[in-house]
Amino acid sequence: MVMSGLRNSVAFVGSADTEVGVVPGLSATELCVQAALSAIHDAGLDKSQVDGLITCNAMAQPIMYHAEAMAEYLQIFPRYCMSVNTGGGTTFSIIHHAAAAIVTGMADTIVISMADSLRSGMTREQAAKTQSSTGHPLYEQIYGLPVPAYYALIAQAHMAEFGTREEHYAEIAVATREHAVNNPAAQKRDRISIDDVLSSRLIADPLHLLDCSLVSDGGAAVVLTSAERAKDLPNDPVYLLGVGEGHSHEHISQARTLTTSAAKESGQRAFAMAGLTVNDIDFAQLYDCFTPTVLIELEDLGFCAKGEGGAYVASGALRSGGALPVNTHGGMLSHCHSGNPGSMFALTETIQQLRHATGPRQLDTAQTALVHAQGGIMSSHTTMILGREPC
Amino acid sequence: MSNSAIDAHFRDGCEQGQLRLQRCTACEYVQFYPRVACSACGSDQLKWFVASGQGKIASYTVVRLPISQQFADLVPYVAALVDLQEGPRMMSVIVDSSPDQVCVGQAVRLAFRQWGSAEQQPIFTVVAPQN
Ligand SMILES: [Zn+2]
């Protein structure tokens, strides 16, 4: 089946981040609303022109009818309204759904807004426990693994199978931090070395503290509309060229393999829809809850062969000026990670890069980008390919 | 936590020192965790049997930060994915060994012990290498 259905049909016309990092005094709901209003303003629209709203529930302030509650707070009255939950993968799977809703006429202009307050709205123990509830309640959680330990099982398996080294994982943290240095909004901006990563304390072997993403507050929102309507709005539209999903398991003990993820399927589906290959991609934003996640995504998305992720990152590919700059805002490792909304910031950064509006960290080759998010323990994957021009 | 009779049967096994697995009578597939139907062919004709307790470490980590107070006295400990001789993979912990005695591919043997707040959990110990 040729999956070209959504290609070039919708475009991002608005994007905004709230303040991120440690943001006391603003609840998850308030951050979500702020993000939505800023994105609507950025798009040059009035909230009365929004007829679709998609949100994701917040861990710090869960609400049973989340999207409906946000619409009420905003006093908008959408004809398309839903909240979705596939963890970190939610951010991009909802774009897939929103694009389909626009193409089928369920809505014309959809705001996608997500925020959470993991740092200021929860205790450290609450945040750790809520996130690790991704483990099977009867057959995994009983052993007490925090989330980093689940990912460490994947990291260790990759090392045993392919000879990947801790230094390779560390290079991903170093390259990401290098990008964050140029982003004034990033939570962590001090340069780090591979030695700094390896000498930071072990959290779950082989993962050190600096292999782990941050715990943050923050929200972001985007506005999606049809490519046709996008032409009449003030910003340069950023087109959705391709999108695909892959779902292989929920619990890591049930994964088909530990070292190949469903990013392989989501990537193939996105590239097939766009009619493009990895050679067309100028930069990428890859889900970086932990450094090994990035390495496996690079392989599964086809930027290097399976097992060669270590050598690929060691070449400096991910750094500014490298073969494939990755997480140009600083990712969740250095910019912020507010839970499920984590990769919304990768999306807003991509939109700004493709508008050529990121100032000192602007990549001059930014024409076509790949963004990838996953949720669970490498469980639920969505890949999107975005471009300055339709393809 | 679960009102499932299947989960209760598994739990009863643990209390008797048995790791109970399901084998499909239609296609012979062995599965864990227990389910209402075969995850390979969909048949609901499943037979319980007791696992041999032999397995190999598929991957492992050392948990250094306790998720909550109830695990605080246990850290650091080795958590592992264990491939059972009968086929399925399960999450567990490796006890009575220091982390440097543990590696991917290491043979392990089943035991039952209190872990966290729960009695009689399936756990594994390293099988001493043969001379
Ligand atoms: Zn069967």
Side-chain angles (χ1 to χ4, degrees), chain A residues 124-125 128-129 132 136-150 152-158 160 201-207 251-258, chain B residues 1-2 6-8 10-11 32-35 39 58-71 77 79-81 89-93 99 104 115-116 118 121-123:
Chain A
R124 194 189 164 81
E125 184 162 322
K129 269 203 120 157
S132 68
H136 194 293
L138 296 180
Y139 302 110
E140 291 184 348
Q141 286 182 40
I142 49 169
Y143 297 108
L145 283 73
V147 172
Y150 287 104
L153 293 167
I154 294 171
Q156 192 76 256
H158 202 280
R201 73 190 161 113
L202 278 164
I203 300 295
D205 307 21
L207 301 182
H251 309 107
I252 191 58
S253 57
Q254 299 285 316
R256 296 170 299 189
T257 80
L258 294 174
Chain B
M1 224 168 177
S2 166
I6 292 173
D7 290 330
F10 179 82
R11 191 63 235 155
F32 179 82
Y33 49 87
R35 292 157 159 95
S39 49
S59 193
Y60 71 97
T61 182
V62 184
V63 177
R64 292 178 188 273
L65 284 182
I67 186 77
S68 63
Q69 206 48 40
Q70 128 196 47
F71 296 94
Y77 64 88
L81 290 168
R89 175 172 291 175
M90 69 182 290
M91 183 72 75
S92 193
V93 288
V104 172
W115 192 259
Q121 291 298 348
I123 54 100

Side-chain angles (χ1 to χ4, degrees), chain B residues 23-29 37-43 45-46:
Chain B
R23 180 181 281 114
C24 174
T25 60
C27 78
E28 298 292 308
Y29 185 74
C38 171
S39 49
C41 78
S43 165
Q45 299 300 302
L46 305 173

Side-chain angles (χ1 to χ4, degrees), chain A residues 149-166:
Chain A
Y150 287 104
Y151 280 90
L153 293 167
I154 294 171
Q156 192 76 256
H158 202 280
M159 292 168 80
E161 189 172 347
F162 300 112
T164 307
R165 299 199 307 270
E166 290 183 21

Side-chain angles (χ1 to χ4, degrees), chain A residues 104-127:
Chain A
T104 54
M106 292 172 76
D108 292 332
T109 300
I110 300 178
V111 171
I112 296 109
S113 187
M114 294 173 57
D116 215 330
S117 187
L118 297 192
R119 183 71 177 258
S120 306
M122 306 178 88
T123 64
R124 194 189 164 81
E125 184 162 322
Q126 280 173 334

Side-chain angles (χ1 to χ4, degrees), chain A residues 57-78:
Chain A
N57 221 329
M59 294 185 206
Q61 203 168 37
I63 298 172
M64 190 171 181
Y65 297 90
H66 192 268
E68 289 80 355
M70 297 304 116
E72 173 196 282
Y73 194 125
L74 287 158
Q75 284 294 293
I76 61 173
F77 307 93

